[in-house]
Amino acid sequence: MNGAELSELPDESEQLRPFVSRLRQAAEEAGGGPAGPPLSDGFLLKFLRARDFDVELSLKLLLNYLRWRRDSPEISSCLSPSSVLGLLHMSYHAVLPQRDHAGSRVLIYRIGQWNTKDWSPYQVFRVSLMTSEIISMETETQRRGLKAIFDLQGWSLGHALQINPSLAKKISCVLSDSFPLKVRGIHLVNEPRFFRPVFAMIRPFLPEKIKQRIHMHGADFHSDLRHFFHPHVLPPEYGGHGPGIDEACQDWTNQLLHFEHILSQIAAHPTVQTLQQRPQTPSGLKSLAAHLTGTEATILQVCTCSV
């Protein structure tokens, strides 16, 4: 079986166990993982699926992830949605309820909603990290990856001054080789001319395959986006007929808040597959269970029935 075929198998498949065991052994020999609980199967499968079950590449990705988390405590040590609730309530970020035609998760970031006087770039980046941690536990997202739309309407000189070379490198690392998610596409809309110097700072750190997946659509983006996303996926503000962007942002804010406890566990021990610990979660997680497959969906259904 090739990597793509292996990825389609459920988490509990016997055919996946040798790969999980080999990656666990290689990680332990390399000293990967902080002191604490052992590396769980669910945690390791994220990295295997992200690299099509190539154990050597999966190990490199895992070690990069742990190194990035260790070297970026200003971002990764606090994964609390409550700490950035004011930003989230500004309709800054959404994960759309519908996947695209390829099964990818679709994320939207509205940069103009970020008030640089209230929120540091590290707090803003934390929002992306929290979302990435949650959706990386979805089996279907592990298989199909994500696509992101960055709406740069309202981008100002104040935003540009927040992005220094150090932060640009951290952002590019997450996009390329330090997080167990396949980035299938990055779409920029409403980008002003003076955004380009910031993008030029990030671009050199990106691998060629990511560069090829970046699309700049400008202000007249509605017709262009339809070439990449079906209308039922996108909010009306982006040329579709899905839920409005404010509703989508609020729904995802609620989901992040439901995962507050899980995110705090990840911040403390990023190698734990925390969905398997049956945290005290509200009934709102039933809506997320509809997006999950395999082991995670079963666990969430059990959890939501008990609260």
Side-chain angles (χ1 to χ4, degrees):
M1 276 187 140
N2 61 33
E5 292 169 331
L6 288 166
S7 190
E8 296 300 318
L9 297 175
D11 288 6
E12 55 276 0
S13 172
E14 290 290 333
Q15 291 169 278
L16 301 185
R17 289 193 176 186
F19 295 91
V20 173
S21 296
R22 286 167 54 199
L23 180 56
R24 179 181 288 111
Q25 181 179 355
E28 290 172 352
E29 289 174 355
L39 302 175
S40 69
D41 288 2
F43 176 78
L44 294 172
L45 279 168
K46 295 191 296 186
F47 294 88
L48 287 163
R49 284 201 174 99
R51 291 296 179 264
D52 294 323
F53 284 83
D54 183 310
V55 174
E56 183 177 348
L57 292 179
S58 300
L59 175 63
K60 180 180 178 181
L61 179 62
L62 169 58
L63 296 178
N64 284 347
Y65 167 83
L66 294 173
R67 186 180 302 113
W68 187 93
R69 293 289 305 265
R70 184 188 65 236
D71 295 344
S72 306
E74 70 279 12
I75 301 170
S76 64
S77 62
C78 175
L79 298 181
S80 168
S82 297
S83 70
V84 289
L85 194 55
L87 176 61
L88 292 170
H89 281 332
M90 292 298 294
S91 296
Y92 164 72
H93 171 54
V95 176
L96 301 184
Q98 297 292 328
R99 296 177 181 270
D100 80 339
H101 63 281
S104 300
R105 275 293 207 175
V106 181
L107 286 58
I108 295 181
Y109 295 91
R110 305 172 73 209
I111 305 301
Q113 304 303 107
W114 165 24
N115 186 331
T116 59
K117 295 180 180 179
D118 296 332
W119 306 101
S120 75
Y122 297 106
Q123 290 173 307
V124 174
F125 193 14
R126 227 176 265 151
V127 172
S128 179
L129 188 60
M130 288 187 284
T131 286
S132 297
E133 290 286 3
I134 294 303
I135 66 173
S136 72
M137 288 187 278
E138 301 170 349
T139 303
E140 192 64 7
T141 305
Q142 293 169 14
R143 292 169 177 151
R144 315 297 173 208
L146 67 87
K147 295 172 184 173
I149 298 171
F150 289 89
D151 186 346
L152 293 160
Q153 184 173 19
W155 175 270
S156 67
L157 180 61
H159 292 105
L161 293 174
Q162 299 293 314
I163 312 298
N164 57 43
S166 174
L167 183 59
K169 186 174 182 179
K170 290 178 187 293
I171 293 171
S172 64
C173 284
V174 169
L175 288 174
S176 57
D177 63 356
S178 297
F179 209 90
L181 281 170
K182 297 177 179 179
V183 179
R184 300 299 195 188
I186 298 173
H187 298 265
L188 307 178
V189 302
N190 289 318
E191 68 275 16
R193 185 172 299 175
F194 55 88
F195 169 73
R196 295 183 182 273
V198 172
F199 181 68
M201 210 170 6
I202 298 173
R203 186 179 173 86
F205 299 114
L206 298 174
E208 195 59 37
K209 67 178 181 180
I210 295 295
K211 292 177 184 177
Q212 293 174 0
R213 296 172 185 172
I214 297 174
H215 308 273
M216 293 190 173
H217 301 283
D220 187 19
F221 60 85
H222 291 83
S223 59
D224 281 357
L225 284 183
R226 293 194 194 103
H227 296 147
F228 298 92
F229 303 96
H230 288 168
H232 75 275
V233 175
L234 296 174
E237 295 87 347
Y238 295 89
H241 46 73
I245 187 62
D246 287 338
E247 178 185 348
C249 288
Q250 187 56 56
D251 285 348
W252 186 247
T253 295
N254 292 339
Q255 296 291 2
L256 286 176
L257 290 170
H258 294 156
F259 279 108
E260 181 105 32
H261 178 62
I262 286 176
L263 287 164
S264 69
Q265 290 178 308
I266 292 172
H269 294 290
T271 63
V272 179
Q273 178 69 350
T274 49
L275 280 180
Q276 296 177 357
Q277 298 180 15
R278 296 186 60 182
Q280 297 297 316
T281 50
S283 58
L285 286 181
K286 291 177 181 176
S287 62
L288 185 61
H291 298 293
L292 306 183
T293 59
T295 305
E296 291 99 329
T298 302
I299 293 166
L300 278 180
Q301 288 163 2
V302 170
C303 290
T304 54
C305 286
S306 64
V307 296

